[in-house]
Amino acid sequence: MITRLIPNIFYDKMSDGLDLFVEGLGFEILHQDDSLAVVQRDGAKAYIVESPEFAAKDRPEIALETDTIEELYADISARRPDLLHPNGRVISKKPWGAKEFALLDKTHVCIIFRQWS
């Protein structure tokens, strides 16, 4: 049984990844060393990896599914409105039926929050 998929997200500087995930999204740090931080909120987890080489090659778009999109939006938009994506600043219903809003950090990592009806 597969229970969880945990992405590695590469940053030139660890502080940029922690800014998005800890300061912006409210994740807590479970582990941190010189080049790796493991962060978690609720059932979601990510590995923040400091690697200028891989960060230059990959700026991911990550979707997080939720059943509490309004609560997450209220929390995140109050905490860090500067992270709201210019094309997804508010919750909107998409043609495919999901409600979504998105974040974009200064390194162009995009986080999409999605709730299916």
Side-chain angles (χ1 to χ4, degrees), residues 81-98:
D82 60 301
L83 290 174
L84 292 169
H85 194 295
N87 297 328
R89 296 190 65 77
V90 297
I91 298 171
S92 62
K93 188 166 185 177
K94 300 300 182 182
W96 46 90

Side-chain angles (χ1 to χ4, degrees), residues 6 10 18 27 37 39 43 64 72 78 80 91 93-94 102 106:
I6 304 169
F10 300 101
L18 296 178
F27 278 55
V39 296
L64 297 174
L72 281 168
R80 291 292 302 276
I91 298 171
K93 188 166 185 177
K94 300 300 182 182
K106 68 181 181 180

Side-chain angles (χ1 to χ4, degrees), residues 18-65:
L18 296 178
D19 181 61
L20 174 61
F21 282 89
V22 176
E23 300 301 322
L25 298 174
F27 278 55
E28 66 177 284
I29 298 171
L30 300 179
H31 167 80
Q32 184 176 355
D33 59 34
D34 291 340
S35 62
L36 173 72
V38 180
V39 296
Q40 176 178 308
R41 177 175 174 170
D42 304 324
K45 192 179 287 179
Y47 297 161
I48 308 302
V49 181
E50 185 172 298
S51 172
E53 175 188 357
F54 286 106
K57 296 176 184 177
D58 180 45
R59 304 316 313 135
E61 179 178 289
I62 300 163
L64 297 174
E65 290 189 352

Side-chain angles (χ1 to χ4, degrees), residues 64-78:
L64 297 174
E65 290 189 352
T66 181
D67 57 1
T68 60
I69 198 163
E70 286 85 6
E71 289 176 28
L72 281 168
Y73 179 79
D75 175 46
I76 294 166
S77 64

